[in-house]
Amino acid sequence: MEGVEGQALIDTGATMTSVDVGFATRVKLPVVNIGTMGSTTELRLVPEWGKIITAPRAFGALGLGQLGLTALIGRDILRHCELFYDGPNGVCTLSHIE
């Protein structure tokens, strides 16, 4: 399967990466688990960095698409990354590490 673009939110509080069920259905991903996502009233979307993220498994989540999101990137992916936030300049850097 080729890469598919979408908006994601880095969620350091999420144990596992989640993908919107509607999106997963459209791109023919197998849906194994489905749940309702809760969120705060304010969301900050990840800027368009052009990064490719591969998740061997993700939790299917209802309602992410209604928030304009394709996925939440959880600690299962982030544990393989280095995340740096430069607050004064409003820049985030997410790098894959081995």
Side-chain angles (χ1 to χ4, degrees), residues 1-89:
M1 177 181 181
E2 291 186 31
V4 182
E5 290 187 20
Q7 292 289 322
L9 177 74
I10 293 175
D11 187 350
T12 59
T15 303
M16 189 170 180
T17 296
S18 302
V19 176
D20 179 67
V21 170
F23 173 81
T25 301
R26 282 192 306 280
V27 298
K28 298 181 177 25
L29 293 175
V31 178
V32 178
N33 297 317
I34 298 174
T36 302
M37 299 299 296
S39 68
T40 61
T41 55
E42 281 190 54
L43 289 176
R44 302 278 186 243
L45 297 181
V46 176
E48 295 180 16
W49 297 328
K51 298 288 182 190
I52 297 173
I53 296 176
T54 303
R57 231 179 141 189
F59 183 74
L62 298 171
L64 285 179
Q66 295 170 343
L67 300 172
L69 296 170
T70 301
L72 295 178
I73 302 169
R75 292 191 312 263
D76 59 328
I77 298 294
L78 294 174
R79 72 176 181 210
H80 302 287
C81 300
E82 183 176 78
L83 176 64
F84 177 76
Y85 178 63
D86 176 358
N89 292 308

